[in-house]
Amino acid sequence: MTEYVKLIFGDREYELPLLEGTEGEKAIDISRLRQDTGLITLDYGFASTGSCASAITFMDGEKGILRYRGIPVEQLAEHATFKEVAYLLINGDLPTREQLTRFSVLLNDHSLVHEDMRHFFENFPRASHPMGILSSMVNALKSFYPALQSTEEEINITVTRLLSKVRTLAAMSYKISRGHKVVYPRPDLAYCANFLNMMFDSPVKPYAIDEDVVKALRVFWILHADHEQNCSTSAVRIVGSGRVNLYAAISAGIAALWGPLHGGANQAVIEMLTDIAEHDNISQVIERAKDKNDPFRLMGFGHRVYKTYDPRAKIMKRMAHRILEKLRISDPLLDIAKELEEVALKDDYFIAHNLYPNVDFYSGIVLRAIGIPTNMFTVMFAIGRLPGWVAQWKESIDDPRWKLSRPRQIYTGPLERKYVPVDER
Ligand code: ACO
């Protein structure tokens, strides 16, 4: 039986349907609000607004829960491969062995990128940020692979092509930026190992694949694979709602992820920790983060949804310890991060604002340990998030309620006035 929320406006009473998700979260359905009442809602940053119903990812920000298609992220990080997680997110269920084999074959088949794309790479200025390059190259894929994306089969090929080529494009951008020879994908290597090999193999020093490094990357990508309606995913859904091709929608997601308040935070955390290492100024950094007149924020802290410890950050912190120990690396930034966390978590400001480390706080330390340069961190996040973006895009286009995203506004500008010719102004 549908429940309703009563709205009294003027001398009339309206009933707005109440919806409930499978985990008990409730929402007021306001789709007919303007039509029935003439009112709209206003919600900066969409903090209280749901943009869709989704069966992909469940988060409980108060309890620190994250599940993909119902499966806790902790279990997936411990036992699954990134390929399985990508399949789970996109198709709704874990693959059978046969489905997994077929998926792997398709990923291998599509892993090469068109040789002409190399000219694009070579013409970016040397100082270009890899996120700008990746976003442009993904958008450019439509020109190189112009096939339609109308039928289920065409969409599946585009999806596989993207999942596979994004790794190759990311590794190519790194190699070319260093002036090194591009390393091609190898069909005998699994998804994560293949990427590491394309990044680090060279004619003078063959790359030795270390299973612990592969595992660290696998866990990093699984933890980033989806996070429901975050900034970049909403960008993918909103841009996709105009029925643009999938490459363009994903390119928009990559651009949105770049920002330091979102995926770019992993790079910003390492820059902040490096600055602390150079100036020994933890207490100064904490004071700056609390100062309302200073735009500085403690990077890698706080989250729109999590008001407790981010479950991904817990896993990432353990992983940082494990990989540094395994590789016998002593990274002073890990000690600084732990000290900073300890000071912040005891501070009244951070307690009162429910600010805890998010996924980006420790992820940079893991990426540094496996040899990823700092300016590639957000690209690593983008590769991990791709299955989530694709799953969310697919869900949106398959939804019979799919509509062009087009929010309204409250206009606060001047009332109608006359045009004044330039000489009379
Ligand atoms: N350092 C200091 N103060 C903070 C921080 C922080 N990292 N994060 C939030 N606050 C404070 C704000 O100043 C504000 O204080 P006030 O209420 O006294 O004015 C309050 O907490 C709420 O902040 P909002 O910006 O309204 O919260 P929102 O939900 O919009 O912010 C965000 C979430 C953007 C992630 C924020 O916590 C932040 O800027 N963190 C640092 C950047 C970061 O780590 N981003 C990665 C997030 S995870 C991801 O996207 C992958």
Side-chain angles (χ1 to χ4, degrees):
M1 200 183 71
T2 313
E3 280 184 87
Y4 293 88
V5 169
K6 282 204 169 82
L7 168 73
I8 299 168
F9 177 56
D11 54 3
R12 282 196 61 186
E13 195 175 287
Y14 301 90
E15 283 191 328
L16 303 169
L18 199 63
L19 308 178
E20 189 169 340
T22 47
E23 290 282 351
E25 341 84 286
K26 292 193 165 63
I28 305 167
D29 181 351
I30 57 156
S31 337
R32 288 184 52 86
L33 185 68
R34 188 169 183 282
Q35 211 170 321
D36 292 349
T37 68
L39 297 171
I40 64 161
T41 56
L42 182 61
D43 179 19
Y44 281 99
F46 309 122
S48 301
T49 299
S51 60
C52 58
S54 175
I56 301 170
T57 289
F58 173 67
M59 294 172 68
D60 182 325
E62 273 69 38
K63 296 191 186 130
I65 293 174
L66 175 62
R67 299 184 198 130
Y68 300 156
R69 301 282 187 185
I71 304 177
V73 75
E74 291 81 0
Q75 289 178 26
L76 293 167
E78 189 63 34
H79 304 292
T81 64
F82 180 62
K83 244 185 304 195
E84 282 181 296
V85 171
Y87 190 99
L88 168 74
L89 286 168
I90 295 168
N91 299 292
D93 234 325
L94 286 166
T96 60
R97 181 150 304 281
E98 199 189 327
Q99 287 166 330
L100 191 58
T101 307
R102 193 171 145 61
F103 190 42
S104 303
V105 170
L106 283 174
L107 287 172
N108 270 332
D109 285 354
H110 289 286
S111 58
L112 283 170
V113 299
H114 200 293
E115 276 295 310
D116 287 352
M117 289 193 92
R118 286 178 66 140
H119 304 308
F120 276 58
F121 277 117
E122 280 153 10
N123 288 309
F124 276 104
R126 269 292 145 93
S128 304
H129 194 284
M131 280 299 273
I133 299 179
L134 188 68
S135 167
S136 313
M137 296 306 269
V138 166
N139 208 351
L141 282 172
K142 177 67 180 162
S143 309
F144 288 91
Y145 305 95
L148 288 177
Q149 295 162 16
S150 314
T151 64
E152 184 75 24
E153 203 192 336
E154 285 164 354
I155 289 176
N156 286 343
I157 290 178
T158 305
V159 166
T160 321
R161 190 173 270 147
L162 252 172
L163 290 172
S164 193
K165 290 193 192 327
V166 80
R167 270 177 325 176
T168 317
L169 290 173
M172 266 174 98
S173 69
Y174 172 65
K175 284 291 195 191
I176 291 171
S177 73
R178 302 203 69 196
H180 290 177
K181 199 166 174 288
V182 165
V183 176
Y184 287 91
R186 271 176 41 189
D188 59 313
L189 292 177
Y191 195 91
C192 299
N194 214 342
F195 173 77
L196 289 166
N197 190 63
M198 284 190 274
M199 283 286 287
F200 302 121
D201 189 53
S202 89
V204 286
K205 195 165 179 241
Y207 183 65
I209 289 165
D210 176 324
E211 279 315 313
D212 288 294
V213 171
V214 172
K215 181 172 180 195
L217 177 60
R218 177 172 71 69
V219 171
F220 173 90
W221 275 344
I222 289 174
L223 294 181
H224 286 81
D226 194 47
H227 217 222
E228 49 120 302
Q229 308 313 316
N230 55 82
C231 172
S232 53
T233 302
S234 298
V236 170
R237 280 192 181 251
I238 289 175
V239 171
S241 80
R243 298 194 189 236
V244 73
N245 68 80
L246 177 59
Y247 301 117
I250 297 296
S251 165
I254 296 171
L257 188 72
W258 193 357
L261 293 191
H262 189 21
N266 55 14
Q267 176 173 344
V269 169
I270 292 297
E271 287 161 0
M272 178 183 76
L273 295 176
T274 308
D275 184 72
I276 295 174
E278 280 164 15
H279 300 100
D280 188 20
N281 57 352
I282 287 193
S283 52
Q284 221 179 314
V285 163
I286 295 280
E287 287 314 308
R288 279 194 68 195
K290 292 170 9 178
D291 182 355
K292 289 288 158 229
N293 298 315
D294 188 333
F296 175 80
R297 284 185 166 200
L298 197 60
M299 299 315 287
F301 256 72
H303 197 274
R304 172 63 60 77
V305 180
Y306 293 124
K307 298 304 164 202
T308 183
Y309 215 102
D310 180 336
R312 303 167 301 170
K314 276 189 199 160
I315 302 173
M316 205 62 90
K317 186 177 178 180
R318 280 202 300 275
M319 179 57 75
H321 275 284
R322 209 175 299 155
I323 194 73
L324 290 183
E325 209 175 285
K326 164 71 193 7
L327 301 177
R328 296 177 203 274
I329 296 173
S330 155
D331 187 344
L333 297 195
L334 178 60
D335 297 328
I336 293 170
K338 285 196 309 188
E339 198 183 331
L340 187 59
E341 176 190 338
E342 209 180 303
V343 176
L345 293 185
K346 283 191 194 135
D347 189 286
D348 288 346
Y349 173 93
F350 287 85
I351 296 170
H353 286 80
N354 292 316
L355 298 172
Y356 294 87
N358 59 51
V359 69
D360 292 317
F361 196 65
Y362 286 103
S363 67
I365 292 168
V366 173
L367 293 176
R368 259 160 76 90
I370 64 180
I372 307 290
T374 313
N375 71 351
M376 284 286 287
F377 284 5
T378 317
V379 166
M380 302 302 289
F381 189 153
I383 301 173
R385 182 55 55 85
L386 185 59
W389 288 332
V390 167
Q392 301 271 353
W393 174 85
K394 264 192 110 189
E395 186 178 67
S396 74
I397 61 163
D398 289 343
D399 191 334
R401 294 159 296 186
W402 190 28
K403 266 176 119 75
L404 176 74
S405 288
R406 204 307 187 181
R408 294 211 171 235
Q409 62 162 22
I410 294 290
Y411 174 69
T412 58
L415 295 176
E416 183 177 344
R417 54 194 181 133
K418 252 186 139 162
Y419 170 78
V420 182
V422 68
D423 294 333
E424 294 170 32
R425 280 174 224 158

